[in-house]
Amino acid sequence: MKKFALIGASGYIAPRHMQAIKATGNVLVAAMDPNDSVGIIDSHFPDAHFFTEFERFDRHIDKLSRAQTGEAVDYMSICSPNYLHDSHMRFALRSGADAICEKPLVLNSWNIDGLLDIERDTGRKVNTILQLRVHPAIIELREKVLNNKNKKDKYDVDLTYITSRGNWYHQSWKGDVKKSGGIATNIGVHFFDMLHFIFGDLQRNVVHTRTDSKAAGFLEYENARVRWFLSIDVEDVPQSAQEKGMRTFRSITVDGEEIEFSGGFTDLHTRSYEEILAGRGFGLEENRTAISTVQFIRTADIMPLQGDYHPFLKK
């Protein structure tokens, strides 16, 4: 049984990590969050120590590591706001624990280099939640692409993801580009990782729109041309879906064929933890292409709508 600590216990994604820790037969011994709305812990690990001050959490983790009685934390799960991931991973490694970090790993690719140095210095490892890489439908599509040696043209891909958010979003850290990285980073980075995972190295990156609520552009990979559109604006949800009361719309088509991967999302964190615990977790370098992609999108010049661009931009 491995011992876990968790940073960011009150966040949206934290319960999935708690569920994964429990489902893999391990125990959460300590959690930290400046917000104390963390009653969800009782559903999984009511005996876990909880801290609202990082300094006290730090002291507790240090005490466990010095106890010499097998109480030291083995893994530290990081579910904090995006801009804190880098610092919290460094803390985990220097505390003698391996890190398991939510997406996006970091906001800028140069942060990966610093973390690689700390991995070497401490002998510990950063593992990342790239959950789409363990989704059966995505694995199947990747194998199809890799095995299709006879295809002469690149695949034509349309990626559309609209997950509407209320006014609260822009007032929270998620609405601050310096803290979240913006729309493409906050809601899109795992899709960009998926595209790289399936279709190979990124060759071209064009941005057609970038606002507080949406972003869109064109990406070219070794084996695909991708038109992408991301939004948190409910008005971007297609009318047919809105009439059904839907506030979210997700679609990926490859050469006009819809890829169905809506199912199976709820247990992807548990699957990711299983892989990490088996020594097959995704490390720092696996994140570099996706982080570099969103880093460029954040500051790139906006290009005119010509050539390949997402059809939702015609609205």
Side-chain angles (χ1 to χ4, degrees):
M1 180 182 290
K2 298 296 184 181
K3 296 178 178 61
F4 281 75
L6 187 149
I7 303 176
S10 73
Y12 165 78
I13 205 67
R16 294 192 189 178
H17 286 260
M18 295 179 201
Q19 291 163 6
I21 293 167
K22 189 171 185 177
T24 52
N26 299 294
V27 61
L28 181 69
V29 298
M32 181 269 162
D33 199 298
N35 188 320
D36 61 8
S37 298
V38 292
I40 187 67
I41 294 176
D42 285 348
S43 300
H44 305 286
F45 300 102
D47 294 329
H49 292 272
F50 175 69
F51 303 86
T52 57
E53 296 172 335
F54 187 83
E55 293 78 6
R56 291 185 174 182
F57 175 71
D58 177 4
R59 185 170 60 194
H60 183 72
I61 296 298
D62 182 63
K63 183 178 71 173
L64 293 178
S65 70
R66 294 174 185 275
Q68 303 295 322
T69 56
E71 297 181 59
V73 168
D74 301 296
Y75 291 91
M76 200 169 296
S77 299
I78 298 164
C79 309
S80 50
N82 300 350
Y83 70 105
L84 297 176
H85 287 177
D86 184 33
S87 175
H88 289 159
M89 282 185 283
R90 291 165 184 262
F91 170 72
L93 298 177
R94 287 170 174 158
S95 298
D98 287 353
I100 300 177
C101 189
E102 260 299 334
K103 61 86 181 171
L105 178 73
V106 288
L107 295 183
N108 299 292
S109 57
W110 56 75
N111 298 128
I112 294 174
D113 299 324
L115 287 164
L116 285 167
D117 287 341
I118 298 173
E119 275 192 336
R120 285 190 288 268
D121 291 344
T122 62
R124 311 312 300 179
K125 182 180 186 333
V126 171
N127 300 279
T128 58
I129 300 294
L130 301 177
Q131 69 264 40
L132 292 181
R133 291 195 183 203
V134 298
H135 193 295
I138 301 306
I139 294 172
E140 181 181 354
L141 176 58
R142 182 174 188 260
E143 291 175 350
K144 176 182 176 182
V145 170
L146 291 175
N147 292 329
N148 192 359
K149 305 296 185 182
N150 297 323
K151 186 173 176 61
K152 296 179 180 179
D153 298 326
K154 294 186 178 185
Y155 292 90
D156 287 311
V157 179
D158 279 356
L159 165 64
T160 311
Y161 182 54
I162 304 161
T163 178
S164 58
R165 297 289 188 265
N167 293 327
W168 67 268
Y169 184 96
H170 297 292
Q171 303 305 316
S172 73
W173 64 265
K174 297 178 187 238
D176 184 340
V177 172
K178 292 181 180 179
K179 293 183 176 180
S180 71
I183 293 297
T185 304
N186 200 45
I187 71 169
V189 69
H190 56 304
F191 289 114
F192 295 124
D193 175 73
M194 175 198 73
L195 292 168
H196 160 59
F197 179 64
I198 296 172
F199 298 111
D201 290 341
L202 179 63
Q203 299 174 334
R204 188 177 174 213
N205 190 344
V206 177
V207 181
H208 290 129
T209 190
R210 183 183 60 238
T211 71
D212 290 342
S213 61
K214 67 190 73 178
F218 173 76
L219 295 163
E220 186 165 2
Y221 294 88
E222 285 181 84
N223 296 305
R225 294 180 294 264
V226 181
R227 304 184 300 182
W228 61 272
F229 182 91
L230 304 170
S231 174
I232 59 168
D233 187 347
V234 68
E235 294 302 318
D236 288 322
V237 175
Q239 188 62 37
S240 58
Q242 288 190 44
E243 290 172 354
K244 298 177 183 177
M246 296 172 60
R247 293 177 55 84
T248 298
F249 179 80
R250 177 170 53 218
S251 172
I252 297 179
T253 62
V254 178
D255 285 349
E257 179 182 348
E258 186 76 32
I259 303 301
E260 177 52 54
F261 68 107
S262 297
F265 265 82
T266 55
D267 64 350
L268 290 182
H269 277 73
T270 297
R271 184 79 185 100
S272 297
Y273 268 65
E274 289 171 347
E275 291 295 297
I276 290 167
L277 290 163
R280 298 188 295 267
F282 299 114
L284 291 167
E285 285 295 353
E286 279 92 341
N287 287 261
R288 192 178 292 275
T289 295
I291 296 301
S292 297
T293 301
V294 295
Q295 180 181 338
F296 179 85
I297 290 169
R298 196 177 306 134
T299 58
D301 292 336
I302 304 300
M303 304 304 291
L305 296 183
Q306 57 188 32
D308 288 303
Y309 61 89
H310 196 282
F312 276 39
L313 294 175
K314 295 178 182 178
K315 290 184 178 181

